[in-house]
Structures are given as C-alpha cells and as structure tokens.
Amino acid sequence: MKAAAAAVQATAPGTPTVGYYNDKCNGSVEGIVRETVKAALNADLTKGAALVRLFFHDCFVRGCDGSVLLDPTYANPYPEKTSGANIGLRGFDVIDAIKANLESACPSTVSCADILAFAARDASGYLSKGGIDYAVPAGRLNGVVSSAADAERNLPGSTFDVATLISNFAAKGFTPEELVIVSGAHSIGRAHCSSFRDRLSSPSGEINPYFRDNILAKDCDAGPADPTVENNIRDQNATALGNLTSYVVPARGGASLDNSYYVNSLNSVVLFHSDWAIVGSNATRRHVHEYADNGTLWNLDFADALVKLAMPPGSTAEIRKTCRATNY
Ligand code: HEM
C-alpha cells in the first residue's frame, strides 16, 4: 500500500479501493479533507490525536462504518460515543467541518466512514511532518447501528494485561507485532486520570516512581475532577520533569507522532497499564526495542497498520447527510 497506487484496484465488490473518489466530485474529495484537517490542526494541534483515535474506535467496533459518530436519539439513547470505553473521544467538530465542506462540493457522495479514514491519514501525516503517508482505500458506506455495549465489548481497556491485549487485537486479525505498532499512537494526545489511576499505586518495577509520584499523582490531584494529562512525557511541562528530562526524546523536526512512545515504554514512563504491559511479554518486547531503535521503520509499519485497520468496510447501509445522524 505504501506505493500509493493512484488507480482504482480491481477487488471484490464492497472492498474499499484506493482512488475510489478519483472520478467523483471532480477528483477534489481527498484534497477537501486534507485542507480541512490542516486548517483544524493549525487552529488546535491537539485535534490531530483526536482524529487518529476516532478512526481506531470506529473501525474496532462493527468495522469502519462511522458508527462512532452517531449522536444519542430518543430511539437509540446509548450509541457508541456514550460508552465508558470512549471516554475523552473528541474531534467530532472536525468531522462535521469536513462533511459540511464535502456536502457543499458534492452532496451525498462521501461517506462519514471514509472521511474518518482520510482524516486519520492526514492528521498522522501532519503530526509526523510527512513521515507517515499512505494511500487510503475508500468506498465504504455508513452503518445505521451504534451501541455503547458493542464499544465496551470490542475496545481494549487501559488496565488490560498483555495476554488480553493480544487476544483483543487477534480478534480483529492483528498480530502481537501490529499491537505494538499501533500502540505507538500514544506518542500523541492526552488521557483522563481515571484512565490510569491504577498506575498511581503501581510498584516501581512497573512505573518510574518519580513520574508516578511527582508528575502523574500531582497532576491528577490538581484542578478539576478527572483532569487530563499528556500521553507523552515529552509534552509535559518541562519544569515538572526534574531528573526525567534525560528520558525525554526531543521531537525530531517538531514531529510529535513518532517512535518516542517505545523509548518511553522501555524507561517505564508511559501512562497506561496496557502501555507498560506490552514491554513485559516476550511476544511483544522485542518489537518495542525494534521500534525504539528505528523511527523510520515505525513510520512505514504504522502506515501499513492503519491501512489494515481501514479495511473492514463495516455496514453498507447509506451515505449520511450528516455524520451525527442516520438519514431516516
Ligand atoms: C492497545 C490498546 C489501547 C488502549 C488500551 C488504549 C487506551 C486509551 C485510553 C484509555 C486513552 C485515554 C482516553 C481518555 O482518558 O481520555 C487513549 C488515548 C488515545 N489513544 Fe489509545 N488505546 C489503545 C490503542 C490505541 C490505538 C490502536 C490508537 C490509534 C491507532 C490509539 C490512539 C490514541 C490516541 C491518539 C489517544 C489520545 C486521544 C486524544 O488526545 O484525544 N490508541 N487510548
């Protein structure tokens, strides 16, 4: 997929294909998405992480069908986005802006599931300073079903141990190595303290004690209930870091989506139990070392993993007029 074939590939009907929109909307679809994502990230860089996570959470539940975008209704008060597993999910405003721009250029042409897939690619490209780039297979339709219970059943939990993570990803066709690769997305974004509160009492063998007590515990005690903390120690306030500055991988060329997550993992300065857990197993540890040592390889393999994530077409019901509601 890295070769980014421009032509539509011959595949089975219903399978997303590269170049699907080339002959639609005057070939402007991917450009409209890219420009809208760029404007959104120029205004608020943190929206990039939000878009990458939205895409993952869409595709892991019922395939990539835009089901994560549906708002609660009288008939369906608990869609996916109301699930505890979707705590902190954001970036819906960016998807709305992309959809509005596409609807005005060519109504009822581009599905919200495809918008999510393009937006995640474009956000990854922006945040990696072009290091991550790939052709996105497209042509999905949107589902009309969205259930919080489905999200709870399918999405991985931050307190999972490595065996549970491996089987959660295996259920979607991902290898332990691919689990390691996609986890590198935690080099960006932020998390609520409730998502890693268990780590505040984890033993020193599982988390750097200075990081635990002087950074995470302090941040979580301060301010509002359940505040958010940066996923990557690199993005913490420099004065708070104390003796941890030696672990901080500088953002190369300002790119923030990079392999620094793996260096953090090896130094026990990652947020979630699940992040720490993948260092603790033979099936995954060697890949953590591999990607800590080779950022270029990680960029390429992350791109391939996102293409794989984008492949399940999910439901084939409709092209929504707005991403937050089904057409009828
Ligand atoms: C391996 C299993 C995974 C677990 C257990 C997990 C768990 C979490 C949790 C708990 C949060 C913080 C939510 C909050 O408290 O607000 C989070 C944030 C995030 N996750 Fe994951 N995640 C996993 C895999 C992934 C994958 C595969 C991706 C993308 C390819 C991803 C991308 C992100 C991003 C970008 C954020 C930050 C979002 C933001 O700033 O809005 N995660 N994840």
Side-chain angles (χ1 to χ4, degrees):
M1 274 307 160
K2 270 188 298 282
V8 176
Q9 299 161 341
T11 40
T15 305
T17 50
V18 170
Y20 178 82
Y21 291 105
N22 285 357
D23 60 354
K24 299 175 179 65
C25 206
N26 294 322
S28 64
V29 169
E30 296 198 34
I32 291 174
V33 178
R34 189 168 48 248
E35 287 310 310
T36 316
V37 168
K38 196 170 146 196
L41 268 62
N42 282 342
D44 177 358
L45 199 59
T46 77
K47 292 285 170 67
L51 292 172
V52 174
R53 184 170 181 238
L54 259 185
F55 167 65
F56 166 52
H57 282 219
D58 186 40
C59 296
F60 243 49
V61 184
R62 310 189 74 84
C64 308
D65 67 347
S67 52
V68 74
L69 301 173
L70 291 174
D71 278 345
T73 60
Y74 183 75
N76 184 25
Y78 301 111
E80 287 172 28
K81 60 167 66 163
T82 64
S83 149
N86 276 325
I87 180 175
L89 212 62
R90 59 201 179 100
F92 299 103
D93 54 334
V94 183
I95 301 299
D96 291 341
I98 297 169
K99 180 64 170 168
N101 289 342
L102 287 169
E103 285 298 296
S104 76
C106 41
S108 296
T109 306
V110 186
S111 73
C112 300
D114 283 344
I115 292 174
L116 280 171
F118 289 137
R121 184 264 315 268
D122 296 339
S124 299
Y126 188 110
L127 294 177
S128 64
K129 291 265 194 274
I132 296 165
D133 191 19
Y134 54 96
V136 174
R140 301 165 194 83
L141 294 179
N142 296 139
V144 292
V145 177
S146 178
S147 133
D150 273 352
E152 292 294 335
R153 256 194 308 276
N154 285 281
L155 291 168
S158 59
T159 57
F160 280 9
D161 61 24
V162 69
T164 316
L165 286 168
I166 288 174
S167 69
N168 175 270
F169 275 75
K172 308 289 175 188
F174 283 80
T175 64
E177 179 175 12
E178 288 166 334
L179 160 67
V180 173
I181 293 166
V182 289
S183 295
H186 289 168
S187 62
I188 50 170
R190 59 196 195 201
H192 288 82
C193 288
S194 56
S195 295
F196 59 86
R197 201 165 284 285
D198 55 315
R199 298 271 285 158
L200 302 182
S201 51
S202 290
S204 314
E206 298 185 6
I207 185 169
N208 178 296
Y210 186 90
F211 180 59
R212 179 190 62 201
D213 301 337
N214 293 55
I215 298 183
L216 300 186
K218 277 194 179 149
D219 284 356
C220 291
D221 278 348
D226 206 10
T228 58
V229 171
E230 300 293 343
N231 272 345
N232 195 327
I233 186 175
R234 174 196 61 202
D235 300 327
Q236 285 280 341
N237 181 331
T239 52
L241 287 177
N243 64 5
L244 293 185
T245 44
S246 59
Y247 295 146
V248 174
V249 180
R252 273 180 224 105
S256 56
L257 180 56
D258 62 15
N259 68 330
S260 55
Y261 166 84
Y262 304 99
V263 180
N264 294 344
S265 301
L266 295 172
N267 287 309
S268 304
V269 288
V270 278
L271 278 194
F272 308 127
H273 178 82
S274 54
D275 292 327
W276 172 78
I278 61 169
V279 188
S281 152
N282 287 336
T284 46
R285 188 190 309 109
R286 70 193 166 89
H287 299 300
V288 175
H289 280 283
E290 188 182 7
Y291 292 113
D293 290 346
N294 192 339
T296 307
L297 179 68
W298 181 73
N299 282 347
L300 297 173
D301 289 352
F302 185 71
D304 284 347
L306 288 199
V307 171
K308 183 166 177 175
L309 200 56
M311 283 319 280
S315 164
T316 52
E318 61 184 19
I319 291 179
R320 286 181 208 143
K321 293 188 173 59
T322 152
C323 290
R324 292 173 180 266
T326 59
N327 289 343
Y328 301 103

